[in-house]
Amino acid sequence: MDAATTPVTLQNRSDSTPDLVYRTRLPVRIWHWINAISIFALLMSGATIFNAHPRLYWGKYGANYDDPWLIIGKRGQEGFLQLGSLEIPTTGLLGYTPWSSKAIPPLLTIPNYYSLAEGRQWHFFFAWILIIALITFVIYSIFSRHLKNDLALSSEERRTTRLWQDIKDHARFRFPTGAAARNYNALQKIAYLSVIFLLIPLVILTGLTMSPNLNAAFPVLLDIFGGRQSARSIHFLCAAALCSFILIHLLMVVLAGPINEMRSILTGWYRLPQRGKDLL
Amino acid sequence: MISRRTALIGVGALTLSGCERVTRSPTVRKILTFGEKATLTSQRLVTNRNALAPEFTRADLSPRFRVNGNAMPASPEYARHVATGFADWALEVGGLVQNPLRLTLAQLKAAPQRTQITRQDCVEGWSAIGEWTGVPLSLLLRHAQISDKAQFIVFHCADDFSGIPYYESIDMIDALHPQTILAHTMNRQPLPIGHGAPIRLRVERALGYKQAKFVMRIEAVASLTGIHGGKGGYWEDHSGYQWFAGI
């Protein structure tokens, strides 16, 4: 990447002094936070909606008398998660806790009491924000070259041996230092690209496929996902994938230096980590 | 000393009560309705208003169609209708119409019919596929010479929740839609009581709570204000469900 397209200001310092670089531009930072808030609100209000019928099916239909592939339920004071024929005890976490007998406990839902109607109001409000923010962000990313310069993988990064090395480095918590840390690393780019161009679009499309009015207007949606209940299942799998992304994303923030990372996503300024020094 | 457990519960309770203050705030609730309005406006804008809901084949029928809502209206009047096999039951069509109607079940069955195999989606998330036969609502409304001033069709039902009668409403786009029928037959059998005998509304592009069961009276109105709670339906009035049930 050439300096002309990277807004790096404090260049050409010696390697011994930590460089502060301007890494994250304002529109990207604003989108990140709007997106973070909407995704949390959507996951938590989605949990309320899921609690109304905590069973997932494949196909065109699915209700109480049909075969679900996933159930979160309770038997007396014991919670369980049933996946096909596998049953996992989840007492205290899912299905049953001393404070709740809902599939997903109120600590993790919006609102923090059971109200399907209110959960839906929150869900659809933030769904609009997510969609508008995503479209705006993608348009911005294309025209500002954020996509090309910061997110797209270079031909070097796309090599299998290089990717394998990145995976091994990540597994050993060895992160790029110095000038190499100026840009997102390959795995980071893959994670961000998957969320922006795969996971969020998929969660939006499967969400729309659950709308009976949109099914009438765009029946192709049902063909793509194999029926409404399949779309609902994929919607929840996407939500689970987003949860894992968030967990790993936050873990990486902590491991890579939470203060530096938070400054970078709040102010844009990022201190390039140095080799051999403690991460902070 | 405050134990860690007590402290944790205390912090938890404070957080939860804080959250509750947000979700119960009228201002917040008002702001959130923008989502619902945007959904209704944009869905009406981008969809063909006459688009038909997907229809399925008999191979797709749910083996067992779940009964939801009230399984049996509690009123003595309804019990009398059940006892007489709905022989002296009649559907009233009134409100903003030139020619109010009173139609017996036999008359409804003698009118032109439509049969459709469609999917019902409950607001809770489950779906069931059933075969429905009935009279297109548009036919009745034309026969009753509905006024141009009518904006909504209200369905008054025989069932109630704790004494509060069930009702629902749809706009003219859905009311005149070819798949909107008053079904008296389900899966080729007379409509069972649990599914809304003698007739129920099928409005196939909307969620389950719009599919009013035990329909006794149909009223054409210019506005929903003044009808029960004014929000257009039992669940809309009492639990805050969205009037637009297309998603």
Side-chain angles (χ1 to χ4, degrees):
Chain A
M1 193 185 291
D2 57 322
T5 56
T6 319
V8 173
T9 48
L10 301 170
Q11 289 179 333
N12 306 325
R13 291 261 195 97
S14 80
D15 273 359
S16 57
T17 51
D19 281 349
L20 261 183
V21 294
Y22 186 65
R23 194 166 81 151
T24 317
R25 276 169 287 181
L26 184 63
V28 178
R29 275 144 46 208
I30 292 174
W31 173 74
H32 171 271
W33 288 111
I34 292 176
N35 201 49
I37 291 167
S38 345
I39 292 220
F40 266 100
L42 283 159
L43 287 169
M44 293 173 77
S45 56
T48 298
I49 300 171
F50 177 76
N51 278 349
H53 190 75
R55 305 152 76 93
L56 297 175
Y57 313 85
W58 294 117
K60 298 170 183 168
Y61 63 83
N64 300 56
Y65 305 118
D66 306 308
D67 290 327
W69 64 269
L70 178 144
I71 304 177
I72 297 179
K74 64 170 192 298
R75 221 172 272 115
Q77 297 199 336
E78 278 171 19
F80 64 88
L81 170 80
Q82 195 180 310
L83 265 175
S85 55
L86 178 76
E87 192 174 303
I88 306 155
T90 54
T91 311
L93 290 170
L94 300 171
Y96 185 87
T97 71
W99 303 280
S100 131
S101 55
K102 285 283 171 196
I104 299 171
L107 205 62
L108 300 174
T109 65
I110 292 177
N112 64 336
Y113 43 88
Y114 178 71
S115 167
L116 175 57
E118 285 178 46
R120 282 165 53 82
Q121 286 290 74
W122 282 83
H123 205 71
F124 298 136
F125 180 84
F126 280 99
W128 274 108
I129 295 186
L130 179 88
I131 291 171
I132 294 165
L134 181 76
I135 293 172
T136 314
F137 172 75
V138 168
I139 293 170
Y140 164 82
S141 298
I142 292 167
F143 286 100
S144 70
R145 298 177 161 262
H146 173 56
L147 181 61
K148 186 169 176 284
N149 295 337
D150 305 328
L151 292 171
L153 276 79
S154 65
S155 50
E156 163 69 12
E157 285 171 325
R158 280 198 296 265
R159 280 175 43 220
T160 336
T161 45
R162 169 69 193 276
L163 280 174
W164 179 237
Q165 187 58 45
D166 282 344
I167 293 169
K168 286 193 288 187
D169 287 347
H170 265 78
R172 293 178 187 131
F173 298 139
R174 279 214 309 248
F175 302 117
T177 53
R182 186 168 285 162
N183 308 312
Y184 300 143
N185 63 66
L187 290 184
Q188 199 174 5
K189 289 178 179 178
I190 292 171
Y192 295 168
L193 288 172
S194 318
V195 168
I196 297 163
F197 291 100
L198 189 74
L199 224 41
I200 300 182
L202 196 57
V203 87
I204 293 170
L205 283 176
T206 50
L208 293 175
T209 306
M210 282 189 268
S211 153
N213 193 47
L214 292 180
N215 285 172
F218 310 107
V220 66
L221 286 170
L222 290 167
D223 299 331
I224 294 171
F225 297 113
R228 182 181 192 254
Q229 288 300 321
S230 294
R232 182 169 173 259
S233 289
I234 298 167
H235 193 70
F236 282 91
L237 289 173
C238 288
L242 283 169
C243 287
S244 1
F245 168 77
I246 293 168
L247 278 178
I248 295 169
H249 185 57
L250 294 180
L251 178 74
M252 287 299 146
V253 166
V254 170
L255 290 174
I259 294 170
N260 195 17
E261 295 289 339
M262 282 306 282
R263 178 180 49 227
S264 152
I265 199 63
L266 285 169
T267 68
W269 290 93
Y270 179 71
R271 192 178 295 280
L272 297 178
Q274 287 180 284
R275 195 189 303 267
K277 265 190 79 176
D278 283 345
L279 297 165
L280 189 72
Chain B
M1 276 286 283
I2 303 166
S3 75
R4 217 173 80 173
R5 193 186 154 84
T6 318
L8 268 175
I9 291 171
V11 169
L14 273 177
T15 316
L16 287 183
S17 66
C19 293
E20 224 175 295
R21 204 169 301 153
V22 173
T23 54
R24 291 201 195 276
S25 143
T27 318
V28 170
R29 286 182 177 186
K30 180 103 186 116
I31 292 168
L32 292 177
T33 60
F34 284 115
E36 186 189 351
K37 284 171 193 146
T39 306
L40 173 60
T41 312
S42 63
Q43 286 213 7
R44 290 281 189 238
L45 202 69
V46 303
T47 62
N48 172 0
R49 293 179 173 190
N50 298 314
L52 295 181
E55 293 193 17
F56 301 86
T57 65
R58 288 190 58 84
D60 299 318
L61 288 177
S62 288
R64 198 171 159 188
F65 200 112
R66 178 180 158 175
V67 169
N68 208 46
N70 282 315
M72 167 81 190
S75 76
E77 191 195 340
Y78 186 82
R80 271 200 303 279
H81 282 310
V82 172
T84 57
F86 301 101
D88 54 359
W89 172 89
L91 173 73
E92 287 174 48
V93 183
L96 295 172
V97 297
Q98 302 277 311
N99 175 32
L101 305 173
R102 239 184 99 81
L103 298 161
T104 64
L105 194 52
Q107 284 174 309
L108 285 172
K109 283 180 176 172
Q113 306 288 305
R114 186 190 158 93
T115 295
Q116 57 206 28
I117 300 177
T118 51
R119 195 192 64 223
Q120 174 166 325
D121 302 319
C122 179
V123 65
E124 292 177 339
W126 52 269
S127 310
I129 296 178
E131 187 185 51
W132 309 94
T133 302
V135 194
L137 178 65
S138 60
L139 209 74
L140 298 189
L141 296 178
R142 280 195 199 103
H143 188 51
Q145 294 171 35
I146 186 164
S147 150
D148 291 343
K149 294 193 189 87
Q151 298 289 320
F152 300 95
I153 304 296
V154 181
F155 301 85
H156 299 278
C157 305
D159 60 325
D160 67 82
F161 286 95
S162 314
I164 302 164
Y166 197 86
Y167 79 104
E168 255 304 340
S169 63
I170 57 177
D171 61 11
M172 296 314 294
I173 295 167
D174 273 328
L176 300 176
H177 187 265
Q179 283 173 323
T180 302
I181 62 172
L182 293 167
H184 48 71
T185 298
M186 176 194 186
N187 295 338
R188 303 188 176 174
Q189 300 293 320
L191 187 66
I193 291 175
H195 287 290
I199 56 159
R200 85 175 302 177
L201 173 67
R202 296 299 313 167
V203 48
E204 302 293 359
R205 299 180 301 179
L207 296 174
Y209 60 89
K210 285 276 163 189
Q211 325 292 330
K213 305 198 287 187
F214 320 108
V215 178
M216 298 287 127
R217 187 162 65 88
I218 295 175
E219 187 184 5
V221 297
S223 153
L224 297 170
T225 315
I227 296 168
H228 297 285
K231 290 180 181 161
Y234 170 82
W235 291 111
E236 290 87 332
D237 285 343
H238 297 283
S239 296
Y241 282 93
Q242 293 85 355
W243 177 83
F244 177 63
I247 189 159

